[in-house]
Amino acid sequence: DTAVSQTPKYLVTQMGNDKSIKCEQNLGHDTMYWYKQDSKKFLKIMFSYNNKELIINETVPNRFSPKSPDKAHLNLHINSLELGDSAVYFCASSQGKGLVANEKLFFGSGTQLSVL
Amino acid sequence: AQKITQTQPGMFVQEKEAVTLDCTYDTSDPSYGLFWYKQPSSGEMIFLIYQGSYDQQNATEGRYSLNFQKARKSANLVISASQLGDSAMYFCAMREDNYGGATNKLIFGTGTLLAVQP
């Protein structure tokens, strides 16, 4: 069983469209994250939810809206897609709230988003 | 502010040899954790090893060890007896402790691409 699973793995779409990426974790973790990896492989946090509550919201365009229906799911909806949104988006989870240094992240396998 | 620096964009190593991937960090917090993740060409992020700032000994996990030099603020990853399957991107990351405070983020370096040659 995959611990953190995200779908789809690949997403090709045109500028201006709206798309969603889904993420589910079966680890019983309390916190879930979305990271964006750009073309230079740099990973940057976008959002974090703890038990359905938003706890980290980086400077991300408001076209990006995370939604957490329950603590095992964190979906990412993107409106009016732009060329610059092309990247790999990773979902991740951690056991606690990210308050202690040794809390490691478990990652999904990523979603390669290509905006044409 | 947190900062992670990986100065080696890419490295080659011969199979069965050891290799060191460099990572330096910058923090004013006395309590923090350092992580290494591996990203093979298939794309997933795999946790390798963790070192706490107060840990007395360097962390080891199988063929992976972390050369932690606190005064130098460096946390280099050492891979012994390299295998072809070690070819991947390697990321160093750090999180500061913040008991009772706001959640702190796991911040990543820019990565080092390791190629193991037969």
Side-chain angles (χ1 to χ4, degrees):
Chain A
D1 279 346
T2 305
V4 181
S5 59
Q6 53 183 110
T7 55
K9 187 164 175 63
Y10 301 99
L11 187 51
V12 181
T13 188
Q14 292 194 326
M15 272 197 313
N17 285 349
D18 304 338
K19 291 293 178 184
S20 292
I21 307 172
K22 295 186 176 182
C23 180
E24 176 182 4
Q25 54 96 3
N26 63 6
L27 297 167
H29 286 171
D30 287 339
T31 304
M32 296 184 72
Y33 308 78
W34 279 109
Y35 275 79
K36 178 180 179 180
Q37 187 175 42
D38 63 23
S39 58
K40 295 185 178 179
K41 300 291 188 180
F42 184 62
L43 270 158
K44 191 175 188 319
I45 191 167
M46 299 173 70
F47 302 102
S48 173
Y49 269 74
N50 176 262
N51 272 322
K52 302 193 294 177
E53 179 191 350
L54 181 66
I55 53 173
I56 292 176
N57 186 355
E58 290 294 282
T59 308
V60 176
N62 55 17
R63 297 182 295 104
F64 290 80
S65 52
K67 284 188 172 51
S68 182
D70 54 59
K71 76 171 194 176
H73 296 84
L74 180 62
N75 304 323
L76 183 65
H77 189 76
I78 315 170
N79 288 328
S80 303
L81 277 155
E82 300 177 358
L83 294 177
D85 297 333
S86 296
V88 180
Y89 292 84
F90 282 97
C91 178
S93 72
S94 66
Q95 190 164 18
K97 206 174 176 179
L99 293 176
V100 293
N102 67 355
E103 194 170 308
K104 70 184 185 197
L105 264 56
F106 293 78
F107 282 86
S109 55
T111 295
Q112 171 92 55
L113 172 64
S114 299
V115 182
L116 307 178
Chain B
Q2 285 180 309
K3 187 176 177 183
I4 299 283
T5 302
Q6 294 181 253
T7 57
Q8 306 153 313
M11 290 191 70
F12 288 100
V13 66
Q14 289 295 122
E15 199 177 2
K16 299 180 186 175
E17 291 186 352
V19 63
T20 298
L21 307 183
D22 294 342
C23 174
T24 57
Y25 58 92
D26 183 24
T27 179
S28 55
D29 196 308
S31 181
Y32 51 89
L34 297 154
F35 301 76
W36 278 91
Y37 280 83
K38 172 184 178 182
Q39 186 178 35
S41 57
S42 50
E44 70 271 29
M45 293 286 289
I46 303 166
F47 167 77
L48 294 179
I49 196 166
Y50 167 80
Q51 178 85 45
S53 60
Y54 290 120
D55 292 345
Q56 294 296 313
Q57 294 188 328
N58 286 345
T60 61
E61 291 282 350
R63 293 186 298 110
Y64 303 110
S65 60
L66 205 150
N67 184 359
F68 180 46
Q69 298 187 43
K70 196 169 181 177
R72 289 184 169 187
K73 292 188 176 178
S74 75
N76 299 338
L77 177 70
V78 180
I79 306 175
S80 62
S82 297
Q83 301 172 356
L84 295 178
D86 294 334
S87 294
M89 195 78 167
Y90 289 82
F91 292 94
C92 180
M94 180 175 72
R95 186 203 299 276
E96 294 171 341
D97 263 332
N98 196 1
Y99 295 108
T103 297
N104 269 318
K105 299 162 280 195
L106 188 61
I107 304 295
F108 286 84
T110 51
T112 296
L113 183 61
L114 177 67
V116 181
Q117 297 178 315

